Amino acid sequence: MDYSKQVKEIVKYFKNSEKKVEDFKIGIEFEHYVIDKDTLKTISYYGKNGVAETLKELEKNGWKGVYEGEYILGLNKGNKIITLEPGSQLELSIDAQKDILNIEKEYIEFMEEIIPILNKKNQGLITTGYHPETKIDDIKLLPKKRYDFMFNYFKTKGSHAHNMMKGTAALQISLDFKDEEDYKKKFKVANGLSPVLYALFDNALYFEGDIWNKHGLRTYIWNNCDDDRSGIVDNALEDDFSYEKYAEYILNRPPIFIFKDKEVIPTGEKKVKELFNPNDYHEDELEHLLTMFFPDVRTKKYIEIRMMDSIPYPLNFSAVALLKGIFYNEKNLDKAYEYIKDITIEDIKKSKEDIIANGLEGKFKDKTVLETGQWLVKLGKEGLNPDEIKYILPLEKMINDNKNPYEITKEKLKDGKKKSLSWCLLNNIFEVRK
C-alpha cells in the first residue's frame, strides 16, 4: 500500500468536510438503558417485552427498521436514527441542527412516542454513565456480527473493555470546523478540557450493582479499555497537529474488522495501513475505519466530543449549550485555547487520575476541576444567543451548588438506590418540562 497516498486520501476526506461558519450545526447522540422500573434491571434485547419488541412496535408507528438477518437492530424516521449498542443500550441520534431548540423538539417528539410504549411494560429509559443494577455478565450481547468480533478482540485488551461495551452510556456532541486551523484549535481545546468535561458530567455512582466509591467511572473504564483506540489522540496537543497527524493516528492502529462485499471480516492485529486501499475504496469504507477508534475526541466529518456521561433532561441540553457557547464563539474559543495551550498529554493523564480519586476537587492545571468548570460555564453562557441561555441554566445551578450528577445521586442515596436515581428516569420528562 502507498502510505503517502493513504494519508492524502484521509486528509482529503477531512478537507471536504469543512463548513462555512454560517452553516455550522450541532449533532448529538443520546444513549439510554432500557430498564424495569421496579428493579432497575436491564431489559434484554431478546424475548417477550424485550428491546427488539419495542423496536418493532415503533416500526409499526412508521419507523423504518434496519435488520441483520432476522434481527431488528435499528430504526430511522425523519431526522432521527435509533441504534443499539452492544449491551442493548438504546442510542438516539438526531441529524445536526443549527439551533438547540430544534434538537430539543426532535428529542421530545421521540420521548412522546417511546415512553408510552415502555410504560405499558413497566419499563423506562434511564440515563446514567454505567448501568445502575445489572452486571455485564448478565447482559446478553446484541446479535450483531461486528459486536461478536469486538467482544472477542477485547478479551486480550484492557481489563474493562467489556465493561465499556455492555455497561456504559454516554452523551456525544459533534461540532463543525471551517478549515484546518479551526479544526486544530477546536480539537486541541476539546482534548485539553477532557478531564473537566469528564468530571462535570460524571453520572456513575453505581458499578456492577454496587456503589462506586471513587469518581469518574467512565474515565476509569476508558483508561483500562484499549490503548490503541481510546484516550487522547497522539500529538493532539502539539502545535503541529493536523489533518495529516490524525490520518496517521488511524493508519497505524488495528481496526478490529472491515466490511468487504457486505461481509464483516475480522482483521486481528493488522493495522489500517495494511488494509486500506487508497486507489480503490468507497467513502463508507473509510467512514467505518474512522468509527472503529474511540478516543475522547474523534474526527469524522466533524469533531465528536465523547467525554460526557449519559445525563437526564434538561441537563443533557446544558452540555449542548456549553459546547456551543464555547466552540462556536470565536472569542470564547480563543480564551479556552489560551487557557490550555501549554497543557501536555501527561498533564491530562495526571488530571484524569486526580478526578477519579477526588471528583470535582481533582486538580486541572493550577485549579480544581470545579473552579475550571465554573469558569467554562460562565464563558459558555456569554457565548450563547439570548434565546439559548435558558439551556445552560441547569448546569450553571448545579455547578454553583458545587455538584455534578454523581454528587446529586449520592446526596439522594439515603432514600435508597431507586429513589436516588429517579431524577435520571426519563419517564418523568413531561413532569420536568412543566
Side-chain angles (χ1 to χ4, degrees):
M1 299 288 186
D2 184 337
Y3 184 74
S4 63
K5 182 71 184 298
Q6 289 175 323
V7 171
K8 287 178 182 177
E9 286 299 306
I10 298 175
V11 168
K12 183 173 73 174
Y13 176 86
F14 296 146
K15 183 73 178 172
N16 290 342
S17 302
E18 295 171 355
K19 304 285 192 304
K20 295 178 180 178
V21 173
E22 57 267 29
D23 294 329
F24 279 1
K25 296 179 180 179
I26 303 169
I28 190 160
E29 297 176 3
F30 305 89
E31 294 178 358
H32 320 76
Y33 305 101
V34 185
I35 59 162
D36 180 279
K37 287 196 287 185
D38 290 334
T39 65
L40 304 182
K41 289 184 177 179
T42 200
I43 299 300
S44 174
Y45 172 84
Y46 305 90
K48 182 175 172 56
N49 293 330
V51 173
E53 186 180 282
T54 295
L55 295 189
K56 288 188 176 181
E57 288 183 66
L58 287 169
E59 188 179 29
K60 291 175 184 176
N61 289 351
W63 291 73
K64 182 179 179 181
V66 178
Y67 285 78
E68 188 169 301
E70 64 183 285
Y71 296 107
I72 184 169
L73 298 176
L75 296 160
N76 58 75
K77 183 181 182 183
N79 292 322
K80 297 183 283 291
I81 298 172
I82 297 172
T83 52
L84 297 178
E85 294 297 304
S88 297
Q89 303 98 316
L90 190 150
E91 178 181 286
L92 172 69
S93 303
I94 296 173
D95 285 354
Q97 308 281 334
K98 287 187 177 183
D99 300 319
I100 301 175
L101 176 63
N102 291 333
I103 302 173
E104 184 188 32
K105 284 180 178 177
E106 296 277 0
Y107 182 75
I108 298 302
E109 186 178 275
F110 170 69
M111 291 299 159
E112 288 174 339
E113 192 164 1
I114 194 171
I115 286 175
I117 292 172
L118 296 175
N119 278 337
K120 290 177 183 177
K121 308 174 188 181
N122 196 42
Q123 296 174 7
L125 289 179
I126 200 166
T127 47
T128 52
Y130 196 87
H131 199 292
E133 183 62 29
T134 306
K135 297 180 180 180
I136 60 165
D137 287 346
D138 297 323
I139 298 176
K140 291 182 179 179
L141 196 65
L142 203 70
K144 196 171 186 177
K145 282 185 180 179
R146 64 180 289 170
Y147 291 157
D148 287 335
F149 291 137
M150 289 174 67
F151 192 82
N152 289 326
Y153 178 87
F154 281 134
K155 285 178 180 177
T156 62
K157 300 301 175 181
S159 60
H160 287 67
H162 287 162
N163 298 89
M164 177 276 291
M165 286 187 70
K166 295 201 290 182
T168 62
L171 171 70
Q172 299 167 8
I173 297 172
S174 301
L175 302 171
D176 291 322
F177 48 90
K178 63 181 179 181
D179 53 32
E180 190 166 17
E181 284 305 309
D182 186 47
Y183 163 79
K184 288 162 62 175
K185 185 181 289 185
K186 286 174 177 170
F187 199 78
K188 182 169 182 174
V189 169
N191 277 286
L193 294 176
S194 59
V196 182
L197 293 174
Y198 268 121
L200 291 185
F201 299 102
D202 175 6
N203 190 26
L205 181 62
Y206 301 101
F207 177 62
E208 295 292 89
D210 295 323
I211 296 289
W212 171 252
N213 285 318
K214 298 178 182 178
H215 302 264
L217 177 56
R218 274 186 64 254
T219 315
Y220 179 84
I221 288 171
W222 280 114
N223 283 355
N224 294 277
C225 180
D226 180 5
D227 290 343
D228 277 333
R229 69 195 68 253
S230 55
I232 301 287
V233 170
D234 294 347
N235 304 309
L237 300 174
E238 302 298 324
D239 291 338
D240 64 347
F241 188 73
S242 61
Y243 292 156
E244 185 174 319
K245 289 290 176 69
Y246 196 93
E248 294 191 279
Y249 164 81
I250 294 295
L251 288 166
N252 287 285
R253 282 165 170 71
I256 305 180
F257 64 88
I258 59 172
F259 290 105
K260 191 172 183 64
D261 299 325
K262 297 186 178 180
E263 287 293 314
V264 185
I265 311 294
T267 53
E269 296 295 336
K270 284 186 178 180
K271 294 180 172 61
V272 171
K273 64 183 178 182
E274 301 172 66
L275 302 162
F276 175 55
N277 184 349
N279 298 310
D280 182 22
Y281 74 95
H282 294 100
E283 189 172 278
D284 57 358
E285 177 187 345
L286 176 54
E287 288 173 348
H288 159 71
L289 293 171
L290 294 173
T291 64
M292 290 311 300
F293 301 91
F294 322 124
D296 290 345
V297 186
R298 181 161 70 181
T299 307
K300 294 196 281 186
K301 287 185 175 179
Y302 38 76
I303 296 169
E304 186 179 76
I305 300 176
R306 304 166 45 83
M307 289 78 81
M308 295 77 68
D309 284 7
S310 179
I311 46 179
Y313 178 89
L315 195 57
N316 48 11
F317 283 89
S318 285
V320 180
L322 174 69
L323 297 186
K324 183 178 184 181
I326 293 172
F327 286 84
Y328 282 177
N329 180 287
E330 197 68 37
K331 290 181 179 178
N332 286 346
L333 182 62
D334 287 342
K335 287 177 183 177
Y337 182 83
E338 280 298 311
Y339 184 65
I340 60 90
K341 68 178 182 180
D342 296 325
I343 206 164
T344 67
I345 286 183
E346 287 307 311
D347 293 331
I348 297 293
K349 290 179 178 177
K350 183 179 178 182
S351 185
K352 284 182 177 180
E353 293 297 331
D354 209 16
I355 66 169
I356 291 170
N358 301 300
L360 291 172
E361 293 304 313
K363 290 291 185 180
F364 179 76
K365 295 188 69 174
D366 56 342
K367 297 180 180 178
T368 66
V369 169
L370 178 62
E371 290 171 323
T372 305
Q374 289 169 337
W375 173 70
L376 286 176
V377 170
K378 183 175 181 292
L379 202 63
K381 187 177 180 181
E382 291 170 354
L384 291 169
N385 299 327
D387 61 338
E388 292 189 326
I389 288 175
K390 63 183 180 181
Y391 290 106
I392 205 169
L393 297 182
L395 175 61
E396 181 182 54
K397 182 182 186 307
M398 181 180 72
I399 294 302
N400 287 343
D401 288 342
N402 300 341
K403 295 174 186 174
N404 61 7
Y406 172 101
E407 296 295 343
I408 292 174
T409 302
K410 187 176 181 181
E411 195 175 63
K412 298 173 181 288
L413 192 55
K414 62 183 181 297
D415 298 319
K417 180 188 280 191
K418 187 177 173 182
K419 285 284 184 66
S420 75
L421 290 167
S422 61
W423 75 288
C424 295
L425 189 68
L426 293 181
N427 296 55
N428 305 330
I429 192 169
F430 306 116
E431 295 173 22
V432 172
R433 295 193 81 222
K434 288 178 181 177

